[in-house]
Structure formats: structure tokens, C-alpha cells
Amino acid sequence: MEQYQRKTILPGITLLYGFPEECCIYAAEGERALALIDTGMGKGDLPAALEALAPGKEILVFNTHCHFDHSAGNFRFPAVRMHPGCGRDQDETEAMPGAGRPCARRIPVREGDTFDLGGVTLEVIETPGHTPGCICLLDRTRRVLFAGDLIGSDVHNVWMLDHLPWVKFSTVSLECYLRSLEKVEALGDRFDGFLCGHDDRILGREYLRELMRLTRSVLEGTAKPERPDIPSPPGQDPVVCWRVRGEGVPTAILYQEESLHDKKRG
Ligand SMILES: [Zn+2]
């Protein structure tokens, strides 16, 4: 089986890569344990890659969210920590390597949960918006925020819709996404940069600031969106959504008119 390659991002933080369709998979090591942040699509033997990287260390597996490119490899592990807002198991998805195999046991994590890896502490920050169950993981020791798909990059939009194009309407509002961006901004100087799901560089706060500006411009009605060409599921109506692109920072947000605002109760 084709194996993962490794790239050291910071001392103790390793990017595992080798299958272009998968998200960036990170291993954050402490002296005692290793946190695996996302499992890709299960195409390669991740447990073997981790054993080669850090023989004998306890492994704690996390999903930043449950999109298939971040979680379809869960089946390779006995248990995965994720937010209770995560949707159905993506490792059951047809045509994925884990289809038909037992799913990993889910261990729920919530805001403020901390994990001591031995000299390194990770903290859970709830950041719904890209999906309802999105979390970031703050590496307090190395001062980076594992942001999943909260922060976009030049190779990936911030997809506001769940599982486009297979689900037509987002279950989280753009207002909710903005609150999560503001929450991360309010972490202040507790971290120096972002490690994201689709860019292997450490991104700076200019991405966060530009996404906040774009999101506010949409909510205030001053944005000038374009209509991207999104393929429709077979036999279904076209998905109507809009995109605004960042200025100076290669990022964008994609949204639907129906999901700008929080749903009113009652
Ligand atoms: Zn995603």
C-alpha cells in the first residue's frame, strides 16, 4: 500500500500527506502521546505511518469536522474524538475505503476540553459555521490553532454548505460562522498562526481578518457576489449559491441566501 510522506511543520508537528484528495493530516506530539488531527479518506495506512513516526506513543484521534475528506479514514482507529454536532459517519460513505467496515467509536468533545500529551496541551474551541460540528484545536504550547476548514486558503474556498452538492441547504448560518471567526479573533495573542485543512503553510491572521470583512459585507448587503458554477446532483435542480472573493488574501466564502441569518425560534 502506498504510504504517507512526512513534513515537519514545527518541532513536534508533522504533516502527513501522499493522497491529494485528502485534507492535510497533522500529528501533534507530546512526550507521552500524539494527537492525530483528521484522518483523511482512509486511503493509506495511517496507524502504520503514526507508529513509524512515534513508536509506542498513545494516539488520540480528532476530527475537526465530519466532511469525508477529513473523516473517512476514521475506520482505521478504534475511537475518534469529535463534536456531538458532527453528522453521520463519513467512513460509511459508499466508495470510500471504509465502506462496510465498523465505524470508529465516537468520543464527544466540547468547548474547553483539554488534552495533556505530555508537556503539550491541546484545547478544544467550538467554531460552528463551515459545519455545525466544527472545532478548532489550540496547541497552547506551540501556539498554533488547528483550524480545519474554518479558514480558507488559495486552494480551497470556505464551503458554507454541508456536503455540497448533495445537501441543498446549509444547517448553519453565515451569522454563526461570523461569530466563530470573532471568537477565534478574541483568543488574542494565545496563538501565532493557523494550520488548516487544505494548505500546508502556517497562515497568518490576515486570513481571519479578510474572512470577517467578507462575511460582514455579505450580511450588511454591500458585497458584490458572483454566481459560481456548482454541479447539480443528477436529476436535481441546480444549487443556487454565491461567492465573494477576498482582496489581498486568496480566500473566498460561498453561501446561500437562505442561510445568512439564524433561524428564528418558534
Ligand atoms: Zn470541510
Side-chain angles (χ1 to χ4, degrees):
M1 179 183 289
E2 197 176 337
Q3 287 304 329
Y4 286 94
Q5 298 176 63
R6 302 202 292 250
K7 177 179 169 185
T8 301
I9 304 291
L10 288 171
I13 296 180
T14 305
L15 170 74
L16 298 163
Y17 67 101
F19 301 92
E21 324 77 56
E22 294 191 336
C23 70
C24 293
I25 300 170
Y26 293 102
E29 283 183 73
E31 289 162 13
R32 181 184 58 76
L34 174 155
L36 181 71
I37 298 166
D38 287 329
T39 62
M41 291 160 73
K43 298 213 163 186
D45 189 345
L46 262 180
L50 296 177
E51 182 61 23
L53 172 69
K57 271 189 188 167
E58 183 190 351
I59 294 169
L60 306 179
V61 185
F62 295 85
N63 287 155
T64 58
H65 63 297
C66 58
H67 279 161
F68 68 91
D69 54 332
H70 295 253
S71 65
N74 287 359
F75 76 95
R76 293 192 179 277
F77 298 94
V80 178
R81 290 165 170 81
M82 69 182 85
H83 191 272
C86 283
R88 74 190 181 96
D89 286 320
Q90 293 296 309
D91 48 5
E92 290 176 331
T93 306
E94 230 177 285
M96 292 289 164
R101 302 204 209 182
C103 295
R105 182 168 60 90
R106 289 179 169 217
I107 302 175
V109 297
R110 301 304 300 245
E111 176 78 18
D113 286 354
T114 58
F115 298 88
D116 178 4
L117 307 177
V120 170
T121 302
L122 294 184
E123 177 181 341
V124 174
I125 316 282
E126 294 179 355
T127 52
H130 174 75
T131 69
C134 279
I135 58 167
C136 292
L137 288 164
L138 175 64
D139 185 328
R140 291 178 178 175
T141 311
R142 287 170 291 228
R143 299 176 52 83
V144 290
L145 191 72
F146 294 95
D149 287 353
L150 179 78
I151 303 290
S153 76
D154 57 347
V155 294
H156 215 73
N157 292 307
V158 175
W159 295 92
M160 292 305 302
L161 310 179
D162 278 347
H163 310 153
L164 237 182
W166 312 108
V167 173
K168 290 176 69 178
F169 298 101
S170 173
T171 51
V172 209
S173 70
L174 196 63
E175 285 179 337
C176 174
Y177 178 64
L178 177 59
R179 284 195 296 274
S180 289
L181 294 174
E182 290 170 340
K183 181 180 185 182
V184 168
E185 168 86 344
L187 293 175
D189 64 358
R190 294 183 67 198
F191 69 99
D192 300 321
F194 301 94
L195 282 171
C196 304
H198 297 279
D199 195 314
D200 62 4
R201 301 167 299 170
I202 300 177
L203 301 183
R205 285 173 191 273
E206 64 275 17
Y207 281 81
L208 180 65
R209 286 194 294 267
E210 182 61 6
L211 284 166
M212 290 169 63
R213 188 190 70 79
L214 285 177
T215 306
R216 287 180 182 134
S217 75
V218 172
L219 293 172
E220 291 162 4
T222 57
K224 294 190 175 57
E226 62 192 22
R227 173 94 185 266
D229 187 20
I230 303 288
S232 308
Q236 294 189 32
D237 293 337
V239 175
V240 178
C241 61
W242 301 93
R243 179 164 58 207
V244 286
R245 293 183 183 278
E247 291 173 14
V249 178
T251 193
I253 56 171
L254 189 69
Y255 64 94
Q256 288 179 300
E257 290 288 343
E258 296 88 337
S259 52
L260 293 183
H261 302 287
D262 296 335
K263 298 274 183 290
K264 300 253 185 325
R265 288 214 180 86

Coordinates of all heavy atoms in Angstrom, one line a residue, residues 88-120:
R88 N -23.5 12.3 10.2 CA -23.4 10.9 10.2 C -21.9 10.5 9.9 O -21.1 11.3 9.4 CB -24.3 10.3 9.1 CG -23.8 10.6 7.7 CD -24.9 10.2 6.7 NE -24.4 10.5 5.3 CZ -23.9 9.5 4.5 NH1 -23.7 8.3 5.0 NH2 -23.5 9.8 3.3
D89 N -21.6 9.3 10.1 CA -20.2 8.8 9.9 C -19.9 8.8 8.4 O -20.5 8.1 7.6 CB -20.0 7.4 10.5 CG -20.0 7.4 12.0 OD1 -19.4 8.3 12.5 OD2 -20.6 6.5 12.6
Q90 N -18.8 9.6 8.1 CA -18.4 9.7 6.7 C -17.6 8.4 6.3 O -17.4 8.2 5.1 CB -17.6 10.9 6.5 CG -18.4 12.2 6.7 CD -19.5 12.3 5.7 OE1 -19.2 12.2 4.5 NE2 -20.7 12.5 6.1
D91 N -17.2 7.7 7.3 CA -16.4 6.5 6.9 C -17.4 5.4 6.4 O -17.0 4.3 5.9 CB -15.5 6.0 8.0 CG -16.2 5.9 9.4 OD1 -17.5 6.1 9.4 OD2 -15.6 5.6 10.4
E92 N -18.7 5.6 6.5 CA -19.6 4.7 5.9 C -19.9 5.0 4.4 O -20.5 4.3 3.7 CB -21.0 4.8 6.6 CG -21.0 4.2 8.0 CD -22.4 4.5 8.7 OE1 -23.0 5.4 8.3 OE2 -22.7 3.7 9.5
T93 N -19.4 6.2 4.0 CA -19.7 6.6 2.6 C -19.3 5.6 1.6 O -18.3 5.0 1.6 CB -19.0 7.9 2.4 OG1 -19.3 8.9 3.4 CG2 -19.4 8.5 1.0
E94 N -20.3 5.4 0.7 CA -20.0 4.4 -0.4 C -18.8 4.8 -1.2 O -18.5 6.0 -1.3 CB -21.2 4.5 -1.3 CG -21.8 3.2 -1.7 CD -23.0 3.4 -2.6 OE1 -24.1 3.9 -2.0 OE2 -22.9 3.2 -3.8
A95 N -18.1 3.9 -1.6 CA -16.9 4.1 -2.5 C -15.7 4.6 -1.7 O -14.6 4.8 -2.3 CB -17.2 5.0 -3.6
M96 N -15.8 4.7 -0.4 CA -14.7 5.1 0.4 C -14.0 3.8 0.9 O -14.7 2.7 1.0 CB -15.1 5.9 1.6 CG -15.6 7.3 1.3 SD -14.2 8.3 0.8 CE -15.1 9.6 0.0
P97 N -12.7 3.8 1.2 CA -12.1 2.6 1.7 C -12.8 1.9 2.9 O -12.7 0.7 3.1 CB -10.6 3.0 2.0 CG -10.4 4.2 1.2 CD -11.8 4.9 1.1
G98 N -13.4 2.8 3.7 CA -14.0 2.2 4.9 C -15.4 1.7 4.8 O -16.0 1.3 5.7
A99 N -16.0 1.8 3.6 CA -17.4 1.4 3.4 C -17.6 0.0 3.8 O -16.8 -0.9 3.5 CB -17.7 1.6 1.9
G100 N -18.6 -0.3 4.6 CA -18.9 -1.6 5.0 C -18.1 -2.1 6.2 O -18.4 -3.2 6.8
R101 N -17.2 -1.3 6.7 CA -16.4 -1.7 7.9 C -17.0 -1.1 9.1 O -17.6 0.0 9.0 CB -14.9 -1.3 7.7 CG -14.3 -1.9 6.5 CD -12.8 -2.0 6.6 NE -12.1 -1.9 5.4 CZ -10.8 -1.9 5.2 NH1 -10.0 -2.1 6.3 NH2 -10.2 -1.8 4.1
P102 N -16.6 -1.6 10.3 CA -17.2 -1.0 11.5 C -16.6 0.4 11.7 O -15.5 0.7 11.4 CB -16.6 -1.9 12.6 CG -16.2 -3.2 12.0 CD -15.9 -2.8 10.6
C103 N -17.5 1.3 12.1 CA -17.1 2.7 12.4 C -16.3 2.8 13.7 O -16.4 2.0 14.6 CB -18.3 3.6 12.5 SG -19.3 3.7 11.0
A104 N -15.5 3.9 13.7 CA -14.8 4.2 15.0 C -15.9 4.6 16.0 O -16.9 5.2 15.7 CB -13.9 5.3 14.7
R105 N -15.6 4.3 17.3 CA -16.4 4.7 18.4 C -16.2 6.2 18.5 O -15.1 6.8 18.4 CB -16.0 4.0 19.7 CG -16.8 4.4 20.9 CD -16.5 3.4 22.0 NE -15.1 3.5 22.4 CZ -14.5 4.3 23.3 NH1 -15.3 5.1 24.0 NH2 -13.2 4.2 23.6
R106 N -17.3 6.9 18.7 CA -17.3 8.4 18.8 C -17.1 8.8 20.3 O -17.9 8.4 21.1 CB -18.6 9.1 18.3 CG -18.7 9.0 16.8 CD -20.1 9.6 16.5 NE -20.1 9.8 15.0 CZ -20.7 10.9 14.4 NH1 -21.2 11.8 15.2 NH2 -20.7 10.9 13.1
I107 N -16.1 9.7 20.6 CA -16.0 10.2 21.9 C -16.3 11.7 21.8 O -15.5 12.4 21.1 CB -14.6 10.0 22.4 CG1 -14.2 8.5 22.5 CG2 -14.4 10.6 23.8 CD1 -12.8 8.2 22.9
P108 N -17.3 12.2 22.4 CA -17.7 13.6 22.3 C -16.7 14.6 22.9 O -16.2 14.3 24.0 CB -19.1 13.8 22.9 CG -19.2 12.6 23.8 CD -18.3 11.5 23.3
V109 N -16.3 15.7 22.3 CA -15.5 16.7 22.9 C -16.3 18.0 22.9 O -17.1 18.3 21.9 CB -14.1 16.9 22.2 CG1 -13.3 15.6 22.4 CG2 -14.3 17.3 20.8
R110 N -16.1 18.9 23.8 CA -16.8 20.2 23.9 C -15.8 21.3 24.2 O -14.7 21.1 24.6 CB -17.9 20.1 25.1 CG -18.9 19.0 25.0 CD -19.7 19.1 23.7 NE -20.4 20.3 23.4 CZ -21.8 20.4 23.4 NH1 -22.5 19.4 23.6 NH2 -22.3 21.6 23.1
E111 N -16.4 22.5 24.1 CA -15.6 23.7 24.4 C -14.8 23.6 25.7 O -15.4 23.2 26.7 CB -16.6 24.9 24.5 CG -16.0 26.2 24.9 CD -15.4 26.9 23.7 OE1 -15.6 26.5 22.6 OE2 -14.5 27.8 24.0
G112 N -13.5 23.9 25.6 CA -12.7 24.0 26.8 C -12.1 22.7 27.2 O -11.3 22.6 28.2
D113 N -12.5 21.6 26.6 CA -11.8 20.3 26.9 C -10.3 20.4 26.6 O -10.0 21.0 25.6 CB -12.4 19.1 26.1 CG -13.8 18.7 26.5 OD1 -14.3 19.2 27.6 OD2 -14.4 17.9 25.8
T114 N -9.5 19.9 27.5 CA -8.1 19.9 27.3 C -7.5 18.5 27.3 O -8.0 17.6 28.0 CB -7.4 20.8 28.3 OG1 -7.6 20.3 29.6 CG2 -7.8 22.3 28.3
F115 N -6.4 18.4 26.6 CA -5.7 17.1 26.4 C -4.2 17.3 26.7 O -3.6 18.1 25.9 CB -6.0 16.5 25.0 CG -7.5 16.2 24.8 CD1 -8.3 17.2 24.3 CD2 -8.0 15.0 25.2 CE1 -9.7 17.0 24.2 CE2 -9.4 14.8 25.1 CZ -10.2 15.8 24.6
D116 N -3.7 16.6 27.7 CA -2.3 16.7 28.0 C -1.6 15.6 27.3 O -1.8 14.4 27.6 CB -2.2 16.6 29.5 CG -0.7 16.7 30.0 OD1 0.2 16.9 29.1 OD2 -0.4 16.5 31.2
L117 N -0.7 16.0 26.4 CA 0.0 15.0 25.6 C 1.4 14.7 26.2 O 2.2 13.9 25.6 CB 0.2 15.5 24.1 CG -1.1 15.9 23.4 CD1 -0.8 16.4 22.0 CD2 -2.1 14.7 23.3
G118 N 1.7 15.3 27.3 CA 3.0 15.3 27.9 C 3.8 16.5 27.5 O 4.5 16.4 26.5
G119 N 3.7 17.5 28.3 CA 4.4 18.8 28.0 C 3.8 19.6 26.9 O 4.3 20.7 26.6
V120 N 2.7 19.1 26.4 CA 2.0 19.8 25.3 C 0.5 19.7 25.6 O 0.0 18.6 25.9 CB 2.3 19.2 23.9 CG1 1.3 19.8 22.8 CG2 3.7 19.4 23.5

